[in-house]
Amino acid sequence: MSTIAEDAGGPPAAQQPAAAQPFRPPNMALATVGLALASFMQVLDTTIANVSLPTISGNLGASSNQATWVITSFAVSNAIALPLTGYMTRRFGEVKLFTWATLAFVVASLLCGLANSMGLLVLARALQGFVAGPMYPVTQALLISIYPPAKRGQAIALLAMVTVVAPIAGPILGGWITDNYSWEWIFFINIPIGIFASIVVGRQMKGRPEKLQTPKMDYIGLATLVLGVGALQVMLDLGNDEDWFNSHKIVILTIVAAVALTVFVIWELTEKDPIVDLRLFRHRNFAAGTLAMVFGYAAFFAIGLLVPLWLQRNMGYTALWAGFASAPLGILPVLLTPFVGKYASRFDLRMLATFAFFVMASTSFLRSGFNLDVDFGRVAEVQLMQGLGVALFFMPVLTILLSDLAPHEIAAGSGLATFVRTLGGSFAASLTTWIWNRRITVHHAELTENISAYDPAMQQTVHQLGHGDPQTGAVMLNQMIGQQASQIGFNEVFHLLGWIFLLVIVFVWFAKPPFAAKGGAAAAGGH
């Protein structure tokens, strides 16, 4: 274990207890920028390729279905790596793990940009997703450890802003780069950022004390984790395309995921040295905060998916303009982050989270009243209003779920919470689009059940729509009915999301203060 560096002008570290000399990097601002940039880069890459898939598949001679594996491979390997963060930090240390993972992310990004076939790109994305897994949780642990207790809220608020802004910026930036340069550059831009972040953090964190362990490898836990999470993530990603349980592939994946994850949970709870410490859920605040984070983030993720999709499908927006209409969501989180981080600790964090979820519920109910005549300004206005809730959502909930963890449990707890949050987002993406499509079918049937081709009024309407051509008029009428059915389904989904946000408020109040991080060891970075 490395020793704590002597403070300038102070007595040697050997003469003072470690807890009294918390580690601080030589340049706190530079260390923070390095950590934040790496996390922004990693979170950005979860969405930056989404709008470029048609271009990628065309250039590499692949089908659109094959191109979706560019997203799926990243998500699957990322979900597998996240809960392993605790094991890897114990084995290698947080600083070394962050540096190696960031450099490996750079290499994987280079391989993505150089890939000349869809198979190679999918493999490179899988590698990129796996090495990205520990980056966010370890960044969170490092930021908490180097900031004094009074300023840790600011560090968590900074990461919360990254979590919000990066997924919004991803599709806009990806679309702009693809249109103006080439799709390879959505991966190449990671190279200078990743190299800068790894060098800066490596140098600034040099000498940080870390107690390493050599835990035995839990092979059964690892195997069931990989099999269960991999099958579950693929099932969620392919479910809508495969018509869910009408597909033998989806049924088999569901059975494999259910059996493997059941064995995984039982094994990890009874294993003396588990690869994923599920016993962290014994902490009340961690359990309550994680539950609120999972459901709150799932509903938030569903909004981020549905609004751009609705704008393109129903309102005729291009992908770029759909991104611009969605972008105001990130304005208030960026502006308010310094204030939330500085002053949030003066309030009961449960009250702040309650207000946040109330705002997000209210904006969801507002969207449930949208129609096909709503304009760009109104869409952007509601997105801006939701940003107030988002600004007050992540920091309080993250602080609550980490508040009763011991210092050496923070990296593992952050990885586990992020893993469960990621799965919540995957469930939300699959279920909300499935519910929307099902409701479209139902409402289309309801809207057409009283239409008769023999009704004179209907014949006249079809004649007018088609400018004298009944067949063209019938097609146009069906499109109009389909748009109305889609809009009604969209409104119903957002009504449901509004109630989910209100439900999350209940989970928040299961937590109990105090919500300050435990002990001085966290500040020192000790384990």
Side-chain angles (χ1 to χ4, degrees):
M1 181 175 70
S2 57
T3 60
I4 299 175
E6 298 178 15
D7 289 336
Q15 298 176 16
Q16 297 186 20
Q21 277 211 349
F23 175 83
R24 298 285 181 264
N27 190 319
M28 183 74 80
L30 193 58
T32 302
V33 168
L35 289 166
L37 271 178
S39 283
F40 185 84
M41 172 184 70
Q42 179 260 313
V43 178
L44 184 76
D45 265 52
T46 61
T47 60
I48 195 170
N50 293 17
V51 297
S52 305
L53 291 185
T55 303
I56 292 173
S57 60
N59 287 0
L60 297 181
S63 67
S64 57
N65 284 338
Q66 289 174 320
T68 60
W69 282 97
V70 174
I71 307 299
T72 302
S73 59
F74 183 96
V76 170
S77 55
N78 187 256
I80 291 170
L82 273 168
L84 300 178
T85 301
Y87 173 86
M88 289 189 283
T89 54
R90 285 190 294 157
R91 180 69 178 83
F92 304 110
E94 290 165 351
V95 176
K96 193 173 290 186
L97 177 60
F98 175 90
T99 306
W100 288 356
T102 305
L103 289 175
F105 192 88
V106 168
V107 173
S109 298
L110 177 64
L111 294 176
C112 287
L114 296 176
N116 57 8
S117 71
M118 185 58 69
L120 289 176
L121 179 57
V122 168
L123 286 174
R125 280 285 283 176
L127 173 62
Q128 190 186 43
F130 187 83
V131 299
M135 289 174 64
Y136 184 89
V138 172
T139 298
Q140 192 163 287
L142 288 173
L143 278 174
I144 289 174
S145 74
I146 64 175
Y147 273 81
K151 294 187 176 181
R152 280 180 201 153
Q154 294 173 319
I156 295 176
L158 175 66
L159 272 186
M161 182 184 69
V162 168
T163 306
V164 173
V165 175
I168 298 171
I172 298 174
L173 183 60
W176 183 80
I177 290 173
T178 303
D179 290 343
N180 291 279
Y181 297 96
S182 64
W183 65 265
E184 292 89 347
W185 282 96
I186 65 177
F187 300 112
F188 288 153
I189 60 171
N190 293 332
I191 296 173
I193 297 173
I195 291 174
F196 172 81
S198 60
I199 291 175
V200 165
V201 174
R203 288 183 175 179
Q204 291 295 317
M205 297 292 179
K206 188 177 181 180
R208 179 179 181 271
E210 289 186 329
K211 183 180 179 181
L212 302 183
Q213 301 175 10
T214 309
K216 69 182 183 73
M217 174 55 71
D218 176 14
Y219 291 104
I220 294 179
L222 179 62
T224 52
L225 173 70
V226 172
L227 187 62
V229 172
L232 177 62
Q233 191 71 52
V234 173
M235 182 268 286
L236 291 172
D237 284 354
L238 301 183
N240 284 313
D241 294 333
E242 298 285 340
D243 196 21
W244 289 102
F245 296 106
N246 291 320
S247 164
H248 292 298
K249 183 190 298 183
I250 297 299
V251 172
I252 291 171
L253 286 170
T254 303
I255 294 172
V256 170
V259 172
L261 290 176
T262 300
V263 173
F264 169 75
V265 171
I266 295 173
W267 180 267
E268 295 301 278
L269 288 175
T270 55
E271 172 68 6
K272 182 180 179 182
D273 194 10
I275 197 167
V276 179
D277 190 4
L278 298 180
R279 299 184 187 94
L280 291 175
F281 285 106
R282 73 185 183 277
H283 298 294
R284 177 173 182 152
N285 288 357
F286 180 76
T290 301
L291 198 59
M293 176 62 76
V294 169
F295 280 89
Y297 181 80
F300 167 72
F301 190 88
I303 293 173
L305 176 73
L306 289 176
V307 170
L309 187 60
W310 165 73
L311 288 170
Q312 293 174 76
R313 180 191 289 185
N314 285 32
M315 308 299 290
Y317 284 49
T318 63
L320 186 61
W321 277 101
F324 286 142
S326 304
L329 176 66
I331 294 175
L332 289 179
V334 171
L335 295 177
L336 295 178
T337 288
F339 302 101
V340 173
K342 186 173 183 179
Y343 298 111
S345 59
R346 300 183 182 182
F347 302 92
D348 186 333
L349 294 183
R350 295 172 299 181
M351 290 297 297
L352 290 180
T354 296
F355 179 74
F357 290 126
F358 180 78
V359 170
M360 296 171 81
S362 299
T363 53
S364 296
F365 289 134
L366 284 174
R367 291 191 191 93
S368 71
F370 278 0
N371 56 47
L372 294 174
D373 294 325
V374 68
D375 59 16
F376 178 95
R378 181 57 175 165
V379 174
E381 179 187 359
V382 176
Q383 290 290 105
L384 180 66
M385 291 168 59
Q386 185 189 335
L388 176 61
V390 174
L392 298 172
F393 161 29
F394 283 94
M395 182 271 176
V397 176
L398 279 172
T399 304
I400 288 171
L401 73 86
L402 294 174
S403 63
D404 57 357
L405 297 182
H408 67 277
E409 295 176 322
I410 289 178
S414 178
L416 183 55
T418 306
F419 160 68
V420 182
R421 186 195 77 190
T422 302
L423 280 186
S426 296
F427 271 101
S430 297
L431 291 178
T432 50
T433 52
W434 176 75
I435 292 171
W436 187 16
N437 289 330
R438 292 286 295 179
R439 298 308 296 169
I440 291 173
T441 302
V442 169
H443 290 300
H444 190 281
E446 291 175 346
L447 291 172
T448 56
E449 65 183 4
N450 293 321
I451 293 178
S452 172
Y454 302 103
D455 184 352
M458 182 55 59
Q459 291 174 352
Q460 182 180 358
T461 300
V462 169
H463 184 82
Q464 290 174 345
L465 287 173
H467 299 288
D469 183 350
Q471 186 173 0
T472 302
V475 170
M476 293 182 65
L477 178 62
N478 187 63
Q479 289 177 342
M480 292 171 63
I481 293 172
Q483 280 189 313
Q484 292 295 339
S486 180
Q487 185 62 52
I488 296 171
F490 174 87
N491 293 354
E492 289 179 337
V493 171
F494 270 90
H495 193 77
L496 174 63
L497 290 175
W499 282 107
I500 290 174
F501 280 122
L502 293 179
L503 174 66
V504 176
I505 294 173
V506 177
F507 301 145
V508 170
W509 286 91
F510 278 108
K512 280 193 170 183
F515 299 124
K518 283 187 176 180
H527 288 272

